[in-house]
Amino acid sequence: MTDNESLRRLICEIGRRMYAKNLVAASDGNISVRLDEGQFLCTPSGVSKGFMQPTDLIVADGQGEKIGGTGKVTSEFPTHLACYEERPDIHAVVHAHPPHAIAFTLTGISLSEAVLPEVVAAFGGVPTSAYATPGTPEGNDVIRPLIRECDAAMLARHGSITVGRNVEEAYFKLEKLEHAAQTLYYARQLGALRTLSADQVDRCLAGRQAYGAIGPVYTADLYPDKTD
Ligand SMILES: [Zn+2]
């Protein structure tokens, strides 16, 4: 793994990109990385992700208690811990408030249908959780069953959770998720969405290793095959 100092700088750089790309506003969102020995490096509560310094980051344990740093552990960190508990294979969690993707959850329009082949290949569909009040234990409960089955999910009326083997991977899934949601938003202005056929979905999934996708793929809504 990257040494701690360069990892801290990388997390700050990803925070700046999240803020610059409008994936978070003000002090929204949080990033964490699983270190060795059950410790986690994470962004502090109440600090803008666009203006973090490496020394702002804090170290927390597997119970969500701070063991290093000066800031406060974010109330959303237990949701990260729920992801790590469900997925021993991941080492990073990124939570953001991507506006197009959130807009879909406000209207109840699914992000889990098969429309963009590269998104299907990367993570299948993007499921949306049941509603939970942000920053409460409910948020941990609603994410658990979803994150077992996928690397990218939406918390209803709130934001995204993306996970990866490292923090760059988790961040790029966030970018991809919001880019897809923005594209679907534009498409819906032009007309009805046409989904991929079951055969086209099969071929996307068969080729997903070529996209570097190795996590689980969410397939629950990929096969309605409404149109070819
Ligand atoms: Zn949030």
Side-chain angles (χ1 to χ4, degrees), residues 49-90:
K49 303 306 154 304
F51 298 89
M52 292 187 301
Q53 299 300 320
T55 50
D56 292 336
L57 301 182
I58 53 184
V59 179
D61 65 18
Q63 282 71 51
E65 300 296 328
K66 184 174 80 173
I67 52 179
T70 55
K72 252 183 73 184
V73 178
T74 169
S75 61
E76 290 175 327
F77 182 60
T79 304
H80 292 229
L81 283 178
C83 295
Y84 291 117
E85 285 168 15
E86 297 298 331
R87 294 283 303 277
D89 59 313
I90 60 152

Short mmCIF file of all heavy atoms in Angstrom, two decimals, residues 49-90:
data_model
loop_
_atom_site.label_atom_id
_atom_site.label_comp_id
_atom_site.label_asym_id
_atom_site.label_seq_id
_atom_site.Cartn_x
_atom_site.Cartn_y
_atom_site.Cartn_z
N LYS A 49 -14.36 19.20 1.23
CA LYS A 49 -13.46 18.27 0.55
C LYS A 49 -12.58 18.99 -0.47
O LYS A 49 -11.59 18.45 -0.94
CB LYS A 49 -14.27 17.15 -0.15
CG LYS A 49 -15.19 16.36 0.79
CD LYS A 49 -14.45 15.80 1.95
CE LYS A 49 -15.29 15.57 3.19
NZ LYS A 49 -16.05 16.63 3.77
N GLY A 50 -12.96 20.23 -0.80
CA GLY A 50 -12.17 21.00 -1.76
C GLY A 50 -10.98 21.70 -1.15
O GLY A 50 -10.13 22.23 -1.86
N PHE A 51 -10.89 21.73 0.16
CA PHE A 51 -9.85 22.54 0.83
C PHE A 51 -9.14 21.76 1.93
O PHE A 51 -8.68 22.33 2.91
CB PHE A 51 -10.49 23.80 1.44
CG PHE A 51 -11.11 24.70 0.42
CD1 PHE A 51 -12.44 24.54 0.04
CD2 PHE A 51 -10.37 25.71 -0.17
CE1 PHE A 51 -13.02 25.37 -0.91
CE2 PHE A 51 -10.94 26.54 -1.13
CZ PHE A 51 -12.26 26.37 -1.51
N MET A 52 -9.02 20.46 1.81
CA MET A 52 -8.40 19.66 2.88
C MET A 52 -6.88 19.68 2.76
O MET A 52 -6.32 19.68 1.66
CB MET A 52 -8.87 18.20 2.80
CG MET A 52 -10.33 17.99 3.12
SD MET A 52 -10.74 16.22 3.20
CE MET A 52 -10.31 15.67 1.55
N GLN A 53 -6.23 19.64 3.91
CA GLN A 53 -4.78 19.45 4.00
C GLN A 53 -4.53 18.03 4.53
O GLN A 53 -5.36 17.50 5.28
CB GLN A 53 -4.17 20.46 4.98
CG GLN A 53 -4.39 21.90 4.57
CD GLN A 53 -3.77 22.22 3.21
OE1 GLN A 53 -2.68 21.75 2.90
NE2 GLN A 53 -4.50 22.98 2.40
N PRO A 54 -3.38 17.43 4.16
CA PRO A 54 -3.10 16.05 4.64
C PRO A 54 -3.23 15.89 6.15
O PRO A 54 -3.69 14.85 6.63
CB PRO A 54 -1.67 15.81 4.15
CG PRO A 54 -1.54 16.66 2.93
CD PRO A 54 -2.35 17.90 3.21
N THR A 55 -2.89 16.94 6.90
CA THR A 55 -2.96 16.82 8.37
C THR A 55 -4.38 16.89 8.91
O THR A 55 -4.62 16.63 10.09
CB THR A 55 -2.12 17.93 9.04
OG1 THR A 55 -2.50 19.18 8.46
CG2 THR A 55 -0.63 17.71 8.83
N ASP A 56 -5.35 17.27 8.04
CA ASP A 56 -6.76 17.31 8.47
C ASP A 56 -7.34 15.90 8.62
O ASP A 56 -8.35 15.72 9.31
CB ASP A 56 -7.63 18.04 7.43
CG ASP A 56 -7.32 19.53 7.36
OD1 ASP A 56 -6.81 20.07 8.36
OD2 ASP A 56 -7.60 20.13 6.30
N LEU A 57 -6.74 14.93 7.94
CA LEU A 57 -7.34 13.58 7.93
C LEU A 57 -7.17 12.92 9.30
O LEU A 57 -6.23 13.21 10.04
CB LEU A 57 -6.68 12.73 6.85
CG LEU A 57 -6.80 13.29 5.44
CD1 LEU A 57 -6.17 12.33 4.44
CD2 LEU A 57 -8.26 13.55 5.07
N ILE A 58 -8.12 12.07 9.63
CA ILE A 58 -8.05 11.42 10.94
C ILE A 58 -8.00 9.90 10.79
O ILE A 58 -8.38 9.37 9.74
CB ILE A 58 -9.25 11.83 11.84
CG1 ILE A 58 -10.57 11.59 11.12
CG2 ILE A 58 -9.14 13.27 12.26
CD1 ILE A 58 -11.75 12.07 11.93
N VAL A 59 -7.52 9.25 11.81
CA VAL A 59 -7.48 7.79 11.83
C VAL A 59 -8.54 7.32 12.83
O VAL A 59 -8.64 7.86 13.94
CB VAL A 59 -6.07 7.27 12.24
CG1 VAL A 59 -6.06 5.75 12.28
CG2 VAL A 59 -5.01 7.80 11.28
N ALA A 60 -9.36 6.38 12.38
CA ALA A 60 -10.43 5.84 13.24
C ALA A 60 -10.28 4.33 13.30
O ALA A 60 -9.64 3.71 12.43
CB ALA A 60 -11.80 6.22 12.69
N ASP A 61 -10.89 3.74 14.33
CA ASP A 61 -10.84 2.28 14.44
C ASP A 61 -12.14 1.65 13.91
O ASP A 61 -13.02 2.35 13.40
CB ASP A 61 -10.56 1.85 15.89
CG ASP A 61 -11.70 2.23 16.85
OD1 ASP A 61 -12.82 2.52 16.38
OD2 ASP A 61 -11.45 2.24 18.08
N GLY A 62 -12.23 0.35 14.01
CA GLY A 62 -13.36 -0.38 13.46
C GLY A 62 -14.67 -0.18 14.19
O GLY A 62 -15.72 -0.66 13.76
N GLN A 63 -14.62 0.54 15.32
CA GLN A 63 -15.86 0.90 16.04
C GLN A 63 -16.26 2.34 15.74
O GLN A 63 -17.21 2.87 16.32
CB GLN A 63 -15.67 0.74 17.56
CG GLN A 63 -15.75 -0.69 18.06
CD GLN A 63 -14.55 -1.51 17.63
OE1 GLN A 63 -13.42 -1.10 17.82
NE2 GLN A 63 -14.80 -2.65 17.00
N GLY A 64 -15.48 3.00 14.88
CA GLY A 64 -15.79 4.39 14.52
C GLY A 64 -15.23 5.40 15.50
O GLY A 64 -15.59 6.58 15.44
N GLU A 65 -14.34 4.96 16.40
CA GLU A 65 -13.74 5.88 17.37
C GLU A 65 -12.44 6.46 16.81
O GLU A 65 -11.66 5.74 16.19
CB GLU A 65 -13.42 5.15 18.68
CG GLU A 65 -14.62 4.54 19.37
CD GLU A 65 -15.64 5.58 19.83
OE1 GLU A 65 -15.22 6.71 20.18
OE2 GLU A 65 -16.85 5.26 19.83
N LYS A 66 -12.23 7.75 17.06
CA LYS A 66 -11.01 8.41 16.59
C LYS A 66 -9.81 7.92 17.38
O LYS A 66 -9.86 7.85 18.60
CB LYS A 66 -11.16 9.92 16.75
CG LYS A 66 -9.97 10.68 16.20
CD LYS A 66 -10.20 12.17 16.22
CE LYS A 66 -9.94 12.75 17.61
NZ LYS A 66 -10.00 14.22 17.61
N ILE A 67 -8.72 7.60 16.64
CA ILE A 67 -7.48 7.23 17.34
C ILE A 67 -6.31 8.11 16.91
O ILE A 67 -5.20 7.95 17.41
CB ILE A 67 -7.14 5.73 17.16
CG1 ILE A 67 -7.15 5.33 15.69
CG2 ILE A 67 -8.08 4.85 17.94
CD1 ILE A 67 -6.80 3.86 15.47
N GLY A 68 -6.56 9.05 16.00
CA GLY A 68 -5.50 9.97 15.60
C GLY A 68 -6.07 11.14 14.84
O GLY A 68 -7.09 11.00 14.15
N GLY A 69 -5.45 12.33 14.99
CA GLY A 69 -5.91 13.51 14.26
C GLY A 69 -6.67 14.45 15.17
O GLY A 69 -7.01 14.10 16.31
N THR A 70 -6.94 15.66 14.66
CA THR A 70 -7.56 16.68 15.51
C THR A 70 -9.05 16.88 15.25
O THR A 70 -9.75 17.42 16.09
CB THR A 70 -6.85 18.04 15.31
OG1 THR A 70 -6.88 18.36 13.91
CG2 THR A 70 -5.41 17.99 15.78
N GLY A 71 -9.54 16.47 14.09
CA GLY A 71 -10.95 16.70 13.74
C GLY A 71 -11.88 15.69 14.39
O GLY A 71 -11.48 14.89 15.25
N LYS A 72 -13.14 15.76 13.95
CA LYS A 72 -14.16 14.84 14.47
C LYS A 72 -14.47 13.78 13.43
O LYS A 72 -14.48 14.07 12.23
CB LYS A 72 -15.46 15.65 14.70
CG LYS A 72 -15.80 15.89 16.15
CD LYS A 72 -17.13 16.63 16.29
CE LYS A 72 -18.33 15.75 15.96
NZ LYS A 72 -19.60 16.51 16.01
N VAL A 73 -14.77 12.58 13.87
CA VAL A 73 -15.21 11.53 12.94
C VAL A 73 -16.59 11.91 12.41
O VAL A 73 -17.47 12.30 13.17
CB VAL A 73 -15.28 10.15 13.65
CG1 VAL A 73 -15.79 9.08 12.69
CG2 VAL A 73 -13.93 9.77 14.22
N THR A 74 -16.77 11.81 11.10
CA THR A 74 -18.06 12.16 10.51
C THR A 74 -19.16 11.18 10.94
O THR A 74 -18.90 9.98 11.12
CB THR A 74 -17.96 12.19 8.96
OG1 THR A 74 -19.27 12.27 8.43
CG2 THR A 74 -17.29 10.96 8.41
N SER A 75 -20.36 11.71 11.06
CA SER A 75 -21.49 10.86 11.45
C SER A 75 -21.81 9.83 10.37
O SER A 75 -22.54 8.87 10.61
CB SER A 75 -22.74 11.72 11.69
OG SER A 75 -23.09 12.40 10.49
N GLU A 76 -21.26 10.02 9.16
CA GLU A 76 -21.50 9.06 8.08
C GLU A 76 -20.43 7.96 8.02
O GLU A 76 -20.54 7.05 7.22
CB GLU A 76 -21.60 9.80 6.73
CG GLU A 76 -22.88 10.63 6.66
CD GLU A 76 -23.00 11.48 5.40
OE1 GLU A 76 -21.98 11.96 4.89
OE2 GLU A 76 -24.14 11.67 4.95
N PHE A 77 -19.41 8.05 8.89
CA PHE A 77 -18.37 7.02 8.86
C PHE A 77 -18.92 5.62 9.17
O PHE A 77 -18.47 4.64 8.58
CB PHE A 77 -17.21 7.37 9.78
CG PHE A 77 -16.10 6.37 9.74
CD1 PHE A 77 -15.42 6.11 8.55
CD2 PHE A 77 -15.73 5.67 10.87
CE1 PHE A 77 -14.42 5.16 8.49
CE2 PHE A 77 -14.72 4.73 10.83
CZ PHE A 77 -14.07 4.47 9.64
N PRO A 78 -19.91 5.47 10.10
CA PRO A 78 -20.46 4.12 10.31
C PRO A 78 -21.03 3.48 9.03
O PRO A 78 -21.02 2.25 8.90
CB PRO A 78 -21.57 4.36 11.35
CG PRO A 78 -21.07 5.54 12.13
CD PRO A 78 -20.43 6.44 11.09
N THR A 79 -21.49 4.30 8.09
CA THR A 79 -21.95 3.74 6.81
C THR A 79 -20.76 3.17 6.03
O THR A 79 -20.87 2.12 5.39
CB THR A 79 -22.68 4.83 5.98
OG1 THR A 79 -23.75 5.34 6.77
CG2 THR A 79 -23.23 4.28 4.69
N HIS A 80 -19.61 3.85 6.12
CA HIS A 80 -18.39 3.30 5.50
C HIS A 80 -18.04 1.96 6.17
O HIS A 80 -17.70 0.99 5.50
CB HIS A 80 -17.22 4.26 5.66
CG HIS A 80 -17.34 5.53 4.89
ND1 HIS A 80 -16.33 6.02 4.10
CD2 HIS A 80 -18.35 6.43 4.78
CE1 HIS A 80 -16.70 7.16 3.55
NE2 HIS A 80 -17.93 7.43 3.95
N LEU A 81 -18.10 1.95 7.52
CA LEU A 81 -17.74 0.72 8.23
C LEU A 81 -18.65 -0.44 7.82
O LEU A 81 -18.20 -1.58 7.69
CB LEU A 81 -17.85 0.94 9.75
CG LEU A 81 -16.70 1.71 10.40
CD1 LEU A 81 -16.99 1.88 11.90
CD2 LEU A 81 -15.36 1.02 10.20
N ALA A 82 -19.95 -0.13 7.61
CA ALA A 82 -20.88 -1.18 7.17
C ALA A 82 -20.41 -1.75 5.83
O ALA A 82 -20.47 -2.97 5.61
CB ALA A 82 -22.29 -0.61 7.06
N CYS A 83 -19.93 -0.89 4.93
CA CYS A 83 -19.44 -1.36 3.63
C CYS A 83 -18.20 -2.25 3.81
O CYS A 83 -18.10 -3.32 3.19
CB CYS A 83 -19.07 -0.18 2.73
SG CYS A 83 -20.48 0.84 2.26
N TYR A 84 -17.26 -1.81 4.68
CA TYR A 84 -16.05 -2.62 4.89
C TYR A 84 -16.40 -3.97 5.52
O TYR A 84 -15.78 -4.99 5.22
CB TYR A 84 -15.06 -1.88 5.79
CG TYR A 84 -14.43 -0.66 5.15
CD1 TYR A 84 -14.63 0.61 5.66
CD2 TYR A 84 -13.62 -0.80 4.02
CE1 TYR A 84 -14.05 1.73 5.07
CE2 TYR A 84 -13.03 0.31 3.42
CZ TYR A 84 -13.25 1.57 3.96
OH TYR A 84 -12.67 2.67 3.36
N GLU A 85 -17.39 -3.98 6.42
CA GLU A 85 -17.77 -5.24 7.06
C GLU A 85 -18.39 -6.20 6.04
O GLU A 85 -18.16 -7.41 6.09
CB GLU A 85 -18.77 -4.97 8.19
CG GLU A 85 -18.12 -4.37 9.43
CD GLU A 85 -19.12 -3.82 10.44
OE1 GLU A 85 -20.32 -4.15 10.33
OE2 GLU A 85 -18.69 -3.05 11.31
N GLU A 86 -19.16 -5.65 5.12
CA GLU A 86 -19.82 -6.50 4.12
C GLU A 86 -18.87 -6.94 3.01
O GLU A 86 -19.13 -7.94 2.35
CB GLU A 86 -21.02 -5.77 3.49
CG GLU A 86 -22.13 -5.42 4.47
CD GLU A 86 -22.76 -6.64 5.11
OE1 GLU A 86 -22.78 -7.72 4.48
OE2 GLU A 86 -23.23 -6.52 6.26
N ARG A 87 -17.81 -6.15 2.80
CA ARG A 87 -16.93 -6.40 1.64
C ARG A 87 -15.46 -6.44 2.06
O ARG A 87 -14.75 -5.44 1.96
CB ARG A 87 -17.16 -5.29 0.61
CG ARG A 87 -18.55 -5.28 -0.02
CD ARG A 87 -18.70 -6.38 -1.08
NE ARG A 87 -17.68 -6.25 -2.09
CZ ARG A 87 -17.78 -5.41 -3.14
NH1 ARG A 87 -18.84 -4.67 -3.29
NH2 ARG A 87 -16.82 -5.34 -4.04
N PRO A 88 -14.99 -7.61 2.51
CA PRO A 88 -13.58 -7.72 2.88
C PRO A 88 -12.62 -7.41 1.72
O PRO A 88 -11.44 -7.12 1.94
CB PRO A 88 -13.44 -9.18 3.32
CG PRO A 88 -14.82 -9.65 3.59
CD PRO A 88 -15.74 -8.86 2.72
N ASP A 89 -13.14 -7.46 0.48
CA ASP A 89 -12.28 -7.25 -0.69
C ASP A 89 -12.00 -5.78 -0.98
O ASP A 89 -11.14 -5.47 -1.80
CB ASP A 89 -12.93 -7.90 -1.93
CG ASP A 89 -14.31 -7.33 -2.24
OD1 ASP A 89 -15.13 -7.21 -1.30
OD2 ASP A 89 -14.56 -6.99 -3.41
N ILE A 90 -12.70 -4.86 -0.36
CA ILE A 90 -12.51 -3.44 -0.70
C ILE A 90 -11.62 -2.74 0.33
O ILE A 90 -11.56 -3.15 1.49
CB ILE A 90 -13.86 -2.69 -0.82
CG1 ILE A 90 -14.65 -2.74 0.50
CG2 ILE A 90 -14.68 -3.26 -1.98
CD1 ILE A 90 -15.55 -1.57 0.71
#
